[in-house]
Amino acid sequence: MPGTVIKYDDREQVKVIGDWEHSTFQGGDYLHDADAGKGAKSVRFALSADRAGRYDIYLGYIAFANRASHVTVRVADADGETPVVVDQRSNTRGWKRLGTFRLTPDKPASVTISNAGTSGIVVADSVALVAEGTRAVQPARTTPDEVPFACPDWAYQWKQDSDFEGRGTHRRVTSITRPDNFDAPSRGHG
């Protein structure tokens, strides 16, 4: 994503209040509130813009079923403070767009995630700041269903029911040696 990404561990731009826990679940690297201490935990990401303008602000987190569905995120910009409610059970490609906001070099701006009034785990991972009109590229974190796939010519393709063996007709391999026909094109039928 072009622009600026601020990770929760940036000690100069991030202020963590309360006892957040660190996690690497699902290959991530983020803080979470452990669904405890409601109202006593927050993470504030300080934003800075080199020049005045409008910026798209994104919240980065890994969505999961045990996350909080109503997380209030407060965005402070040149025009004041705007609350945005985020459902952390879902997101798009690891980033949730909070909106477009006006930033100036002379006025402090921030994004604050709080666990006040939430039910479920609240995640604080990262914030991205992208100049309005700049095309955002696909972030590094994706899920398998979001990655385009082109089937190679050499791959076997199952196109009809008869391409699959019937249920219970497979043979159990009892030896640990590689079968003679392991690389044969009909491997998918065996």
Side-chain angles (χ1 to χ4, degrees):
M1 175 170 286
T4 304
V5 176
I6 305 166
K7 189 81 172 141
Y8 73 86
D9 58 358
D10 182 333
R11 299 204 190 286
E12 291 181 20
Q13 291 185 268
V14 179
K15 181 175 183 179
V16 178
I17 297 173
D19 191 19
W20 291 78
E21 294 191 24
H22 177 256
S23 182
T24 56
F25 179 67
Q26 289 190 330
D29 176 19
Y30 55 88
L31 297 179
H32 66 87
D33 74 341
D35 200 14
K38 298 300 183 176
K41 300 178 184 184
S42 65
V43 177
R44 182 180 176 273
F45 295 83
L47 306 176
S48 59
D50 294 336
R51 60 175 192 236
R54 295 181 55 77
Y55 293 83
D56 293 325
I57 298 177
Y58 296 84
L59 182 65
Y61 59 92
I62 295 175
F64 204 70
N66 67 351
R67 307 292 193 243
S69 60
H70 292 85
V71 179
T72 300
V73 178
R74 299 196 177 280
V75 180
D77 70 345
D79 298 323
E81 188 174 278
T82 304
V84 180
V85 177
V86 175
D87 179 356
Q88 288 194 337
R89 294 175 302 173
S90 65
N91 67 4
T92 305
R93 297 182 179 165
W95 295 98
K96 169 69 177 169
R97 185 176 173 277
L98 300 177
T100 303
F101 300 89
R102 190 170 68 88
L103 302 181
T104 60
D106 60 330
K107 181 148 181 158
S110 64
V111 172
T112 304
I113 302 166
S114 170
N115 73 343
T118 61
S119 176
I121 294 174
V122 176
V123 172
D125 182 359
S126 54
V127 170
L129 179 67
V130 181
E132 185 180 40
T134 304
R135 184 176 171 267
V137 298
Q138 183 170 331
R141 187 179 337 155
T142 59
T143 57
D145 60 340
E146 296 170 337
V147 177
F149 176 75
C151 187
D153 295 336
W154 53 263
Y156 186 83
Q157 296 181 33
W158 290 269
K159 297 181 179 179
Q160 53 196 13
D161 290 345
S162 62
D163 290 338
F164 295 93
E165 284 188 7
R167 190 172 190 185
T169 61
H170 66 280
R171 292 180 296 133
R172 182 173 297 275
V173 176
T174 57
S175 73
I176 58 171
T177 59
R178 186 180 178 110
D180 292 338
N181 68 347
F182 184 82
D183 295 315
S186 64
R187 177 175 158 218
H189 296 276

